[in-house]
Amino acid sequence: IMLLGWCVGATVLLYVLYSWLIPTAVQFNGSLALIWHDVIVERALDTLTRSTRPQRLLKVVQKRATRGDPQSVISAVDHFCRHSEWAMNVGDEKGSILDSVVSELSPEKVLELGTYCGYSTVRIARLLPPGARLITLEFNADYAAIARQVIAWAGLEDKVQLVEGASEDWIPRMKEHYGIETFDFVFLDHWKDRYLPDTKLMEDCGLLRKGTVLLADNVICPGFPDYLEYVRNSLSYKSCYFKSHLKYTKAEDGLEKSVFLG
């Protein structure tokens, strides 16, 4: 009986730690939140469920979202991330900032670096004017496979071209393969050590025109000071910072909007 009581008590303690105490404790610390949600919890759930986080996210979209309704897809992912399992998309709070920038700009040619499961792709594509094109690059083939299904579920596959591969390989081939002369809007949300090199690569390839807007996610957490130093001090850009929070937490993060001046 004592052993049974000890086991029950330990189970209750672990449940409280996992479901409430630790998640609450890491809410205000971005680095701890990333370690907890993006490493410890994800690996544990992958092992227990024999599935991946993107696969679990897709199942929620297919269960909760209405096919052909982009907003319902966004709402389903946000609900999953806030109430079930954190995921590394731009999130609802910063997503609203992204929406505002896209709506104000109304771009016709868009490049997204880092698709993940297609959440931000859906947010952007649903706001684009008729005839607009969104090219989104994703290095991870497993993520790309999920993203295609999420984008299709939202009914936006006709507006989106998902390209698998490394950004440094595809950026120089944009003109040749997709007939893109310049982009109106670029959303950077891929490998953080590629933000600055890929920005310079887009400049070198002539893909940025006067007025092209670059919007970079995660400028505080995990952060990339070399990119911020470049766009904030370069005479080629006019930059501003949108303060927000790391997706689905209370830890500070934000978006950097940089307008290319030519």
Side-chain angles (χ1 to χ4, degrees):
I1 295 177
M2 288 182 63
L3 179 60
L4 179 60
W6 184 89
C7 289
V8 171
T11 301
V12 171
L13 177 61
L14 287 173
Y15 176 79
V16 171
L17 285 171
Y18 171 80
S19 63
W20 181 74
L21 192 59
I22 295 177
T24 300
V26 303
Q27 275 286 304
F28 296 91
N29 187 301
S31 297
L32 292 179
L34 290 174
I35 293 171
W36 172 249
H37 291 294
D38 216 23
V39 179
I40 298 172
V41 173
E42 182 172 9
R43 290 179 182 177
L45 290 175
D46 287 356
T47 301
L48 290 171
T49 65
R50 296 185 178 181
S51 65
T52 65
R53 178 171 285 168
Q55 289 170 343
R56 296 189 290 275
L57 184 149
L58 175 62
K59 286 183 179 179
V60 168
V61 167
Q62 293 171 335
K63 181 179 179 180
R64 296 181 62 96
T66 302
R67 189 186 288 270
D69 181 355
Q71 187 57 52
S72 73
V73 171
I74 293 168
S75 298
V77 175
D78 285 334
H79 187 274
F80 172 73
C81 293
R82 281 207 175 273
H83 301 287
S84 298
E85 189 177 345
W86 187 94
M88 60 176 185
N89 52 62
V90 69
D92 49 2
E93 186 178 350
K94 287 187 292 181
S96 296
I97 299 172
L98 172 61
D99 289 354
S100 297
V101 173
V102 173
S103 296
E104 179 183 1
L105 191 61
S106 191
E108 294 186 356
K109 289 170 287 184
V110 178
L111 175 63
E112 178 184 38
L113 299 178
T115 316
Y116 187 45
C117 295
Y119 173 88
S120 53
T121 312
V122 170
R123 290 202 81 113
I124 295 170
R126 84 193 201 285
L127 298 173
L128 296 180
R133 297 176 62 190
L134 166 56
I135 297 176
T136 180
L137 298 182
E138 176 52 55
F139 179 77
N140 186 302
D142 294 330
Y143 293 168
I146 297 295
R148 282 195 178 90
Q149 295 178 74
V150 171
I151 293 164
W153 197 271
L156 295 169
E157 63 267 42
D158 291 342
K159 284 190 173 184
V160 178
Q161 175 73 51
L162 196 159
V163 181
E164 289 182 41
S167 54
E168 60 266 35
D169 294 334
W170 275 106
I171 286 173
R173 299 158 70 184
M174 283 293 158
K175 293 186 179 182
E176 175 188 355
H177 281 262
Y178 299 106
I180 298 292
E181 292 298 320
T182 57
F183 287 104
D184 304 312
F185 176 64
V186 180
F187 183 52
L188 298 92
D189 195 16
H190 58 327
W191 292 108
K192 309 314 171 192
D193 61 357
R194 290 301 313 172
Y195 278 34
L196 182 54
D198 284 344
T199 296
K200 292 182 176 180
L201 185 57
M202 287 186 287
E203 294 173 5
D204 293 341
C205 293
L207 291 172
L208 306 181
R209 60 163 178 80
K210 184 177 181 180
T212 295
V213 173
L214 278 61
L215 190 67
D217 190 18
N218 301 124
V219 298
I220 300 298
C221 184
F224 34 87
D226 58 341
Y227 175 82
L228 288 182
E229 181 180 1
Y230 179 72
V231 295
R232 289 176 178 178
N233 293 293
S234 171
L235 296 177
S236 297
Y237 293 93
K238 180 180 180 181
S239 285
C240 63
Y241 171 63
F242 292 93
K243 183 178 180 179
S244 185
H245 296 94
L246 180 67
K247 54 213 79 174
Y248 314 111
T249 75
K250 299 183 186 302
E252 184 182 347
D253 193 16
L255 297 159
E256 186 81 6
K257 176 185 175 184
S258 304
V259 180
F260 186 65
L261 303 178

